[in-house]
């Protein structure tokens, strides 16, 4: 079954506890951490993650769009994140970092910006629990989905199958009812959705609708046959 991770970047930051409850049925809450260095935007950090982890039973999926994740990522596990994603473009030692995240008890995930190919990192895949393919340039919510990322999603799914890995494949950026089926058909099984969820009149219903579309597309996808 597809996993839907609403992004609180699109939520009301003054009401984060309530906004977390508004997406009942979501698999994870996606928390975008930006430092105004790796990306040109500044959002939230460890103290907010600590508070949010106490305010919701939904596990936190922290996406670190920051410099020096080797130093900072472990702190997000300690703050309560169940999954921590670092960008390979910013990591000095991605294998060591993934192992440290796992050792501290969280799922280790690696993200690729749109221009970063997957092929050079094929040998790293067994060290990961999830791979995130950005379908917009990281830094801001509300951007239009980049269709040119679909072949990259397909190639990544093929590499996962080649190595027989139980690796989640996440997409983030412009995911909506009009784009999620294409992502699922290409091979994604974890979907970050911001404005498509928090911009809806009923965020929980939006989560359910997105999951239904993704599941339907996955059922007919070649990659999922026998999966």
């Amino acid at each position: 079954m597809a996993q839907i991770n609403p992004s609180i970047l699109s939520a009301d930051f003054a009401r984060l506890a309530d906004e977390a409850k508004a997406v009942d049925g979501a698999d994870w809450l996606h928390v975008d951490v930006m430092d105004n260095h790796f990306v040109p935007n500044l959002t939230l950090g460890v103290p907010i993650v600590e508070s949010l982890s106490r305010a919701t039973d939904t596990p936190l999926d922290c996406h670190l769009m920051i410099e020096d994740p080797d130093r900072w990522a472990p702190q997000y596990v300690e703050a309560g994140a169940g999954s921590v994603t670092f960008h390979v473009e910013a990591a000095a030692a991605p294998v060591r970092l993934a192992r440290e995240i796992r050792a501290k008890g969280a799922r280790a995930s690696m993200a690729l910006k749109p221009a970063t190919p997957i092929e050079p990192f094929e040998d790293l895949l067994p060290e990961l629990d999830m791979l995130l393919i950005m379908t917009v340039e990281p830094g801001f919510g509300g951007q239009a989905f980049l269709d040119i990322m679909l072949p990259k999603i397909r190639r990544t799914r093929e590499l996962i199958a080649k190595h027989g890995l139980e690796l989640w494949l996440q997409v983030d950026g412009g995911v909506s009812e009009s784009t999620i089926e294409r992502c699922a058909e290409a091979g994604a099984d974890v979907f970050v959705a911001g404005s498509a969820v928090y911009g809806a009149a009923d965020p929980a219903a939006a989560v359910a609708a997105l999951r239904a579309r993704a599941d339907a597309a996955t059922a007919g996808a070649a990659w999922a046959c026998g999966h």
Side-chain angles (χ1 to χ4, degrees), residues 63-80:
H63 177 193
L64 307 184
M65 289 168 272
I66 62 174
E67 291 183 350
D68 200 9
D70 303 75
R71 175 184 177 188
W72 297 109
Q75 295 187 30
Y76 285 88
V77 183
E78 294 164 6

Side-chain angles (χ1 to χ4, degrees), residues 95 99 110 118-128 159 162-163 165:
V95 171
R99 290 180 177 180
M110 188 173 78
I118 179 59
E119 287 78 8
F121 306 106
E122 178 179 352
D123 291 343
L124 275 63
L125 297 181
E127 300 289 340
L128 304 170
L159 291 177
K162 173 184 172 182
H163 293 280
L165 301 173

